[in-house]
Amino acid sequence: MKAAVLTSMGDADALVLQEVADPKPGAGEAVVRVRAAALNHRDVFIRQGLYPGVKLPVILGSDAAGVVAEVGEGVDTAWVGKEVVVDPCFDWGDNPRAQSNKFHILGLPEDGTYAEFVKVPAENLAPKPGHLSFEEAAALPLAGLTAYRAVVTRAQVAAGEKVLVTGIGGGVSSFALQIALAAGAEVYVTSGSDEKIERAKALGAAGGANYREGDWGKAIVAMTGGGPDVVIDSVGGETFARAIEILKTGGRLATYGATAGAVNKFEVRRIFWKQLTVLGSTMGLRSEFAEMLKLYESRELRPVVDKVFGLGEAAEAHRRMEQGGQFGKIVLKVD
Ligand SMILES: NC(=O)c1ccc[n+]([C@@H]2O[C@H](COP(=O)([O-])OP(=O)(O)OC[C@H]3O[C@@H](n4cnc5c(N)ncnc54)[C@H](OP(=O)(O)O)[C@@H]3O)[C@@H](O)[C@H]2O)c1
């Protein structure tokens, strides 16, 4: 099969289209013919050497939509020929509050989805929502699941609440916007681009502030009439610190990422004095994956697809993510 293989650490050109052996399903496994895969920032961080223990070569990619080609021993053969998406979480464990230390994600160390075929445990298969194209469905798994757990399970966003989603151009952020809107919240966003704020408004956001222009925190406080009830943050760094400052008394902040790194100076007293709740969130349970798919199917929601590249253009797709040009998910179409 053809795959975009990560051959060395470094810049995006380290992703090379190569001929590699087809995967064979073992007991309990299925092989999916990938019709579309999607990028996550994780893939860029891995390529840049920011993840420990990477063994090369490896096929990156945690998201896939496709058709089941073959199943191994003990797997219902009725799956063969079915259109599916793949839950990228392995070995969460028994505790719904947090993953076990065996937890890992499709696309490292196991070969991932930037390929014509991917092998996964059959228990990770789920039917593809019927109203979505393969490209749209491939955008769903990792980002949709992460946003669902952060917004619904952890922050418990309720109808009428004012929610701020930071860095709306991000893949997960676009899902957080849609899921918070589906919960009946009034959603505000930040972005480094006015155009992306306008696109978020077209999706239903009530307003937004550009973090490259002036004091975005002040602007959000003014728009929300005193600050948001909830912040969903993936930026970290100074954005996290500012979000804590502008949250309403009694507010919640769900954090699932730190694209901008650590916080240099942080006023802990703001958390206790304002009685804030800070909620860490990572990926999600199989049951949350099913609930997320059900939400997208029942409301006929469509993931925001930024741009579709060919499998041979994985390097170009990575560069787009690295430069932050995207609004929504960057997808690789696999023919
Ligand atoms: N814990 C988990 O389970 C989990 C799961 C998925 C992702 N993550 C993490 O979440 C983060 C986002 O992932 P992703 O795949 O959605 O990434 P992405 O698509 O690359 O999105 C990153 C976005 O962050 C925004 N951003 C960057 N610097 C910013 C700053 N200084 N201030 C405000 N916004 C800024 C940009 O938004 P604008 O373009 O609008 O400016 C950018 O588009 C990554 O750190 C990733 O590792 C964690």
Side-chain angles (χ1 to χ4, degrees):
M1 68 167 180
K2 285 195 174 58
V5 180
L6 181 67
T7 52
S8 61
M9 297 303 200
D11 69 23
D13 291 325
L15 291 158
V16 181
L17 193 66
Q18 290 184 346
E19 197 64 40
V20 299
D22 287 357
K24 288 279 157 229
E29 293 178 332
V31 167
V32 176
R33 185 180 191 333
V34 179
R35 297 291 307 279
L39 270 65
N40 290 285
H41 214 114
R42 170 181 198 268
D43 309 347
V44 172
F45 288 146
I46 293 171
R47 174 173 59 70
Q48 291 172 333
L50 300 177
Y51 271 55
V54 178
K55 289 204 181 85
L56 297 173
V58 66
I59 302 171
L60 299 178
S62 307
D63 288 326
V67 179
V68 178
E70 203 180 345
V71 294
E73 200 189 314
V75 179
D76 187 349
T77 52
W79 276 112
V80 177
K82 289 260 164 21
E83 295 186 351
V84 294
V85 288
V86 176
D87 178 352
C89 297
F90 301 148
D91 294 328
W92 179 282
D94 299 329
N95 181 2
R97 294 175 72 89
Q99 69 276 28
S100 72
N101 56 14
K102 285 193 187 151
F103 176 76
H104 58 288
I105 299 168
L106 178 60
L108 186 80
E110 282 93 350
D111 278 338
T113 61
Y114 295 5
E116 289 179 315
F117 295 94
V118 65
K119 182 176 74 170
V120 294
E123 63 179 25
N124 286 56
L125 301 175
K128 174 177 88 62
H131 69 294
L132 299 180
S133 66
F134 282 111
E135 288 85 355
E136 289 169 324
L140 267 173
L142 190 148
L145 174 62
T146 304
Y148 187 89
R149 182 170 170 91
V151 172
V152 177
T153 312
R154 302 292 278 147
Q156 299 189 5
V157 166
E161 287 194 307
K162 291 177 181 169
V163 175
L164 170 66
V165 180
T166 58
I168 195 59
V172 184
S173 302
S174 61
F175 286 99
L177 167 65
Q178 291 179 321
I179 294 169
L181 286 171
E186 197 174 298
V187 185
Y188 297 82
V189 303
T190 64
S191 178
S193 147
D194 289 343
E195 191 201 324
K196 291 184 189 181
I197 293 172
E198 288 310 312
R199 292 183 70 178
K201 284 192 198 162
L203 289 171
N210 189 326
Y211 59 77
R212 295 189 206 278
E213 291 170 6
D215 185 344
W216 63 265
K218 204 169 164 189
I220 294 292
V221 169
M223 274 175 222
T224 53
D229 301 290
V230 176
V231 176
I232 308 292
D233 180 51
S234 64
V235 179
E238 299 314 312
T239 301
F240 178 93
R242 189 76 178 112
I244 291 285
E245 284 172 6
I246 67 166
L247 265 172
K248 245 189 202 156
T249 302
R252 290 103 70 202
L253 181 148
T255 163
Y256 64 84
T259 306
V263 188
N264 291 322
K265 187 170 170 284
F266 184 68
E267 292 288 0
V268 174
R269 69 189 158 83
R270 291 194 198 280
I271 294 183
F272 66 76
W273 187 247
K274 291 206 292 180
Q275 313 253 7
L276 303 180
T277 306
V278 177
L279 301 146
S281 196
T282 279
M283 304 290 288
L285 304 166
R286 185 66 39 79
S287 56
E288 290 165 327
F289 188 72
E291 287 161 24
M292 180 275 293
L293 291 179
K294 201 169 145 200
L295 175 71
Y296 271 74
E297 195 144 35
S298 63
R299 303 277 189 107
E300 297 212 345
L301 298 174
R302 311 193 93 88
V304 181
V305 173
D306 167 67
K307 197 165 175 191
V308 180
F309 292 86
L311 183 60
E313 298 172 314
E316 214 174 302
H318 264 232
R319 276 192 284 270
R320 181 162 177 81
M321 176 166 273
E322 229 166 339
Q323 288 156 7
Q326 77 277 20
F327 181 83
K329 293 288 291 185
I330 300 169
V331 170
L332 299 179
K333 191 171 188 301
V334 185
D335 290 316

